[in-house]
Amino acid sequence: GMFLVELGKRWTHRRRRSLAAVFGICLGAWSLVFYGSFVEPQLLVVHEEHIVLSDSADRSLRVVLVSDIHLGPYRDAAWARRVVEAIQGARPDIVRGEGDFIAGKPEEADGLSPLRALSAPYGVFAVTGNHDYRDEAADEAVVKRLQEAGVRVLRNETVRISVDGDELALFGVRQDFQV
Protein backbone atom coordinates (compact mmCIF):
# COMPACT_ATOMS: atom_id res chain seq x y z
CA GLY A 1 0.00 0.00 0.00
CA MET A 2 2.79 2.43 0.83
CA PHE A 3 4.53 1.85 -2.50
CA LEU A 4 1.36 2.70 -4.47
CA VAL A 5 0.80 5.93 -2.55
CA GLU A 6 4.36 7.05 -3.24
CA LEU A 7 4.02 6.19 -6.94
CA GLY A 8 0.83 8.25 -7.06
CA LYS A 9 2.60 11.29 -5.63
CA ARG A 10 5.37 11.05 -8.22
CA TRP A 11 2.86 10.71 -11.02
CA THR A 12 1.02 13.83 -9.85
CA HIS A 13 4.26 15.84 -9.70
CA ARG A 14 5.30 14.66 -13.17
CA ARG A 15 1.87 15.39 -14.51
CA ARG A 16 1.93 18.94 -13.11
CA ARG A 17 5.36 19.54 -14.63
CA SER A 18 4.19 18.16 -17.95
CA LEU A 19 1.06 20.31 -17.95
CA ALA A 20 3.12 23.37 -16.99
CA ALA A 21 5.55 22.63 -19.85
CA VAL A 22 2.69 22.22 -22.36
CA PHE A 23 1.07 25.43 -21.08
CA GLY A 24 4.41 27.28 -21.36
CA ILE A 25 4.96 26.05 -24.91
CA CYS A 26 1.41 27.04 -25.92
CA LEU A 27 1.77 30.48 -24.32
CA GLY A 28 5.11 31.01 -26.06
CA ALA A 29 3.67 29.97 -29.43
CA TRP A 30 0.63 32.23 -28.96
CA SER A 31 2.88 35.15 -27.98
CA LEU A 32 5.00 34.64 -31.08
CA VAL A 33 1.93 34.54 -33.36
CA PHE A 34 0.42 37.60 -31.62
CA TYR A 35 3.65 39.58 -31.97
CA GLY A 36 4.13 38.55 -35.59
CA SER A 37 0.52 39.34 -36.50
CA PHE A 38 -0.30 42.49 -34.56
CA VAL A 39 2.84 44.14 -33.15
CA GLU A 40 5.62 43.67 -35.71
CA PRO A 41 3.48 44.67 -38.73
CA GLN A 42 2.94 48.08 -37.12
CA LEU A 43 6.65 48.79 -36.62
CA LEU A 44 8.13 51.19 -39.15
CA VAL A 45 11.91 50.89 -38.99
CA VAL A 46 13.98 53.70 -40.48
CA HIS A 47 17.71 53.20 -40.85
CA GLU A 48 19.94 55.99 -42.11
CA GLU A 49 23.29 55.26 -43.70
CA HIS A 50 25.87 57.72 -45.03
CA ILE A 51 27.83 56.23 -47.93
CA VAL A 52 30.84 58.01 -49.44
CA LEU A 53 31.28 57.08 -53.09
CA SER A 54 34.27 59.28 -53.86
CA ASP A 55 36.95 61.18 -51.99
CA SER A 56 36.26 64.18 -54.19
CA ALA A 57 32.49 64.16 -53.78
CA ASP A 58 31.21 67.71 -53.51
CA ARG A 59 27.52 66.90 -53.51
CA SER A 60 25.34 64.54 -51.57
CA LEU A 61 22.35 62.68 -52.88
CA ARG A 62 19.64 61.44 -50.55
CA VAL A 63 18.29 58.11 -51.78
CA VAL A 64 15.45 56.49 -49.86
CA LEU A 65 15.03 52.75 -50.26
CA VAL A 66 11.81 51.23 -49.04
CA SER A 67 10.95 47.56 -49.05
CA ASP A 68 8.60 44.99 -47.60
CA ILE A 69 5.52 47.16 -47.20
CA HIS A 70 3.50 43.92 -47.36
CA LEU A 71 -0.01 45.34 -47.66
CA GLY A 72 -2.44 42.58 -46.81
CA PRO A 73 -4.30 41.13 -43.85
CA TYR A 74 -2.48 43.22 -41.23
CA ARG A 75 -1.46 46.31 -43.23
CA ASP A 76 -3.68 48.52 -45.35
CA ALA A 77 -3.69 51.91 -47.08
CA ALA A 78 -3.28 53.64 -43.69
CA TRP A 79 0.03 51.80 -43.31
CA ALA A 80 1.06 52.89 -46.82
CA ARG A 81 0.28 56.51 -45.82
CA ARG A 82 2.59 56.18 -42.77
CA VAL A 83 5.34 54.84 -45.00
CA VAL A 84 4.88 57.70 -47.49
CA GLU A 85 4.97 60.29 -44.68
CA ALA A 86 8.24 58.81 -43.39
CA ILE A 87 9.74 58.80 -46.88
CA GLN A 88 8.71 62.37 -47.65
CA GLY A 89 9.95 63.46 -44.23
CA ALA A 90 13.43 62.36 -45.29
CA ARG A 91 13.36 64.85 -48.23
CA PRO A 92 14.65 62.32 -50.78
CA ASP A 93 16.34 63.14 -54.08
CA ILE A 94 15.47 59.65 -55.36
CA VAL A 95 13.02 57.05 -54.03
CA ARG A 96 13.55 53.34 -54.69
CA GLY A 97 10.87 50.78 -53.89
CA GLU A 98 12.60 47.43 -53.52
CA GLY A 99 9.61 45.09 -53.76
CA ASP A 100 7.18 43.14 -51.62
CA PHE A 101 4.52 45.84 -51.77
CA ILE A 102 1.80 43.26 -51.04
CA ALA A 103 1.53 40.03 -49.09
CA GLY A 104 0.58 38.13 -52.25
CA LYS A 105 -3.03 38.69 -53.32
CA PRO A 106 -3.89 40.95 -56.30
CA GLU A 107 -6.60 42.90 -54.45
CA GLU A 108 -4.05 44.02 -51.82
CA ALA A 109 -2.49 46.29 -54.46
CA ASP A 110 -5.52 48.61 -54.13
CA GLY A 111 -3.96 49.88 -50.89
CA LEU A 112 -1.00 51.36 -52.80
CA SER A 113 -2.87 54.54 -53.77
CA PRO A 114 -1.16 56.63 -51.02
CA LEU A 115 2.07 56.25 -53.00
CA ARG A 116 0.73 58.99 -55.26
CA ALA A 117 2.04 61.44 -52.67
CA LEU A 118 5.65 60.31 -53.22
CA SER A 119 7.86 62.81 -54.95
CA ALA A 120 11.58 63.25 -55.46
CA PRO A 121 13.49 65.60 -57.79
CA TYR A 122 15.17 62.74 -59.70
CA GLY A 123 12.23 60.36 -59.61
CA VAL A 124 10.44 57.53 -57.85
CA PHE A 125 11.33 54.03 -59.06
CA ALA A 126 10.44 50.49 -58.06
CA VAL A 127 10.99 46.83 -58.74
CA THR A 128 8.60 44.09 -57.74
CA GLY A 129 9.54 41.42 -55.20
CA ASN A 130 8.76 37.77 -54.74
CA HIS A 131 5.54 38.46 -52.80
CA ASP A 132 4.35 40.74 -55.59
CA TYR A 133 4.64 38.14 -58.31
CA ARG A 134 3.48 35.01 -56.61
CA ASP A 135 1.14 34.83 -59.54
CA GLU A 136 0.76 36.86 -62.72
CA ALA A 137 -2.44 38.59 -61.54
CA ALA A 138 -0.75 39.89 -58.37
CA ASP A 139 2.25 41.13 -60.35
CA GLU A 140 0.05 42.92 -62.88
CA ALA A 141 -2.03 44.51 -60.10
CA VAL A 142 1.05 45.81 -58.27
CA VAL A 143 2.66 47.19 -61.44
CA LYS A 144 -0.61 48.85 -62.48
CA ARG A 145 -1.13 50.51 -59.09
CA LEU A 146 2.49 51.66 -58.87
CA GLN A 147 2.31 53.18 -62.35
CA GLU A 148 -0.99 54.89 -61.49
CA ALA A 149 0.79 56.39 -58.47
CA GLY A 150 3.48 57.84 -60.74
CA VAL A 151 6.13 55.27 -59.84
CA ARG A 152 8.35 54.07 -62.67
CA VAL A 153 8.60 50.29 -62.47
CA LEU A 154 11.93 48.97 -63.72
CA ARG A 155 11.81 45.51 -65.27
CA ASN A 156 15.15 44.29 -66.56
CA GLU A 157 16.17 47.78 -67.53
CA THR A 158 18.52 50.61 -66.64
CA VAL A 159 17.62 54.25 -66.15
CA ARG A 160 20.33 56.88 -66.41
CA ILE A 161 19.86 60.04 -64.38
CA SER A 162 21.95 63.18 -64.81
CA VAL A 163 22.91 64.74 -61.48
CA ASP A 164 24.86 67.98 -61.85
CA GLY A 165 26.51 66.73 -65.02
CA ASP A 166 27.33 63.30 -63.56
CA GLU A 167 25.42 60.21 -64.57
CA LEU A 168 23.79 57.84 -62.13
CA ALA A 169 22.52 54.46 -63.34
CA LEU A 170 19.63 52.70 -61.64
CA PHE A 171 19.08 49.04 -62.46
CA GLY A 172 15.83 47.16 -62.09
CA VAL A 173 15.79 43.38 -62.41
CA ARG A 174 12.71 41.19 -62.24
CA GLN A 175 13.50 37.87 -60.64
CA ASP A 176 11.15 35.17 -61.82
CA PHE A 177 11.00 32.80 -58.90
CA GLN A 178 8.42 31.63 -56.41
CA VAL A 179 8.70 31.38 -52.65
Side-chain angles (χ1 to χ4, degrees):
M2 186 75 152
F3 178 73
L4 291 176
V5 171
E6 192 65 28
L7 182 63
K9 286 181 181 178
R10 283 188 195 154
W11 173 250
T12 303
H13 180 67
R14 281 187 187 158
R15 192 172 198 177
R16 278 191 218 138
R17 283 187 19 205
S18 296
L19 286 174
V22 167
F23 177 76
I25 290 169
C26 289
L27 180 62
W30 178 85
S31 298
L32 186 62
V33 168
F34 181 83
Y35 179 84
S37 297
F38 300 105
V39 177
E40 192 274 336
Q42 302 307 314
L43 298 176
L44 179 59
V45 178
V46 176
H47 179 76
E48 190 169 325
E49 189 72 37
H50 180 77
I51 301 170
V52 178
L53 299 177
S54 168
D55 290 336
S56 64
D58 58 349
R59 185 186 189 299
S60 64
L61 194 64
R62 187 176 294 261
V63 179
V64 172
L65 282 86
V66 60
S67 69
D68 299 290
I69 295 174
H70 289 285
L71 296 182
Y74 303 109
R75 293 178 172 168
D76 56 13
W79 172 255
R81 276 190 289 284
R82 280 184 59 198
V83 171
V84 168
E85 288 170 5
I87 292 170
Q88 290 306 118
R91 299 178 330 277
D93 294 310
I94 298 173
V95 175
R96 280 288 308 222
E98 299 299 320
D100 289 354
F101 293 95
I102 62 171
K105 296 181 181 174
E107 60 272 12
E108 295 164 348
D110 293 339
L112 293 172
S113 60
L115 272 61
R116 285 187 171 110
L118 286 176
S119 65
Y122 296 106
V124 179
F125 304 89
V127 293
T128 52
N130 63 310
H131 286 262
D132 304 323
Y133 48 78
R134 285 194 172 162
D135 64 51
E136 195 61 35
D139 184 55
E140 289 175 15
V142 169
V143 170
K144 179 183 177 194
R145 294 294 184 230
L146 288 172
Q147 289 173 338
E148 288 173 354
V151 177
R152 178 158 179 199
V153 180
L154 302 177
R155 300 184 126 190
N156 301 327
E157 63 183 299
T158 303
V159 172
R160 298 190 185 286
I161 300 169
S162 178
V163 179
D164 296 336
D166 291 322
E167 192 172 83
L168 173 69
L170 296 179
F171 302 93
V173 178
R174 181 174 192 256
Q175 297 175 331
D176 291 316
F177 65 89
Q178 300 276 330
V179 173

